[in-house]
Amino acid sequence: AEVRCTDAHLHREDFVDAGSLIEWSDVVFVGCPHEGYKDLAFRDTQLVFDCWGALDHTQPTVNIEPGQPLRGDEAPLKVAIIGGAGHVGLPLSLVLADCGHHVFSVD
């Protein structure tokens, strides 16, 4: 497994900056409305889900069924969950990982 972590208030040598995490990800879930996340720049091709409506971004839709693994023709997504340790992000992380996606949490 590969783990990438970032935190706006905690700086460690082994953490990456939020911009690098966003650049790496295909899908971004914002599960926490921290002020520092409002200036994140997303690619036009990224799926961005904002659980709080804190960002000025169009909401996409995706169909993910808990307990249903990826089909043979589906590639796993690289998913960043911002606010990933809270009551929204943690269960979402577990469901996505259980389905076979690569999940990275930021909190």
Side-chain angles (χ1 to χ4, degrees), residues 64 70 75-79 95-103:
I64 296 174
L70 295 171
L77 296 170
K78 295 183 283 185
V79 182
V95 167
L96 291 169
D98 187 48
C99 289
H101 299 289
H102 304 287
V103 180

Side-chain angles (χ1 to χ4, degrees), residues 17-38:
D17 63 277
S20 297
L21 187 68
I22 298 302
E23 183 179 315
W24 175 87
S25 302
D26 300 318
V27 180
V28 179
F29 287 88
V30 180
C32 183
H34 286 310
E35 184 72 28
Y37 299 145
K38 289 185 178 188

Side-chain angles (χ1 to χ4, degrees), residues 10-83:
L10 179 64
H11 301 283
R12 292 180 39 147
E13 186 177 308
D14 55 340
F15 278 18
V16 299
D17 63 277
S20 297
L21 187 68
I22 298 302
E23 183 179 315
W24 175 87
S25 302
D26 300 318
V27 180
V28 179
F29 287 88
V30 180
C32 183
H34 286 310
E35 184 72 28
Y37 299 145
K38 289 185 178 188
D39 295 328
L40 292 174
F42 303 102
R43 296 185 310 275
D44 291 337
T45 58
Q46 274 178 315
L47 297 175
V48 178
F49 297 86
D50 178 8
C51 298
W52 295 92
L55 306 174
D56 183 24
H57 206 278
T58 304
Q59 295 285 75
T61 59
V62 67
N63 235 350
I64 296 174
E65 297 181 38
Q68 295 297 315
L70 295 171
R71 295 186 309 256
D73 62 337
E74 292 179 308
L77 296 170
K78 295 183 283 185
V79 182
I81 300 181
I82 298 173

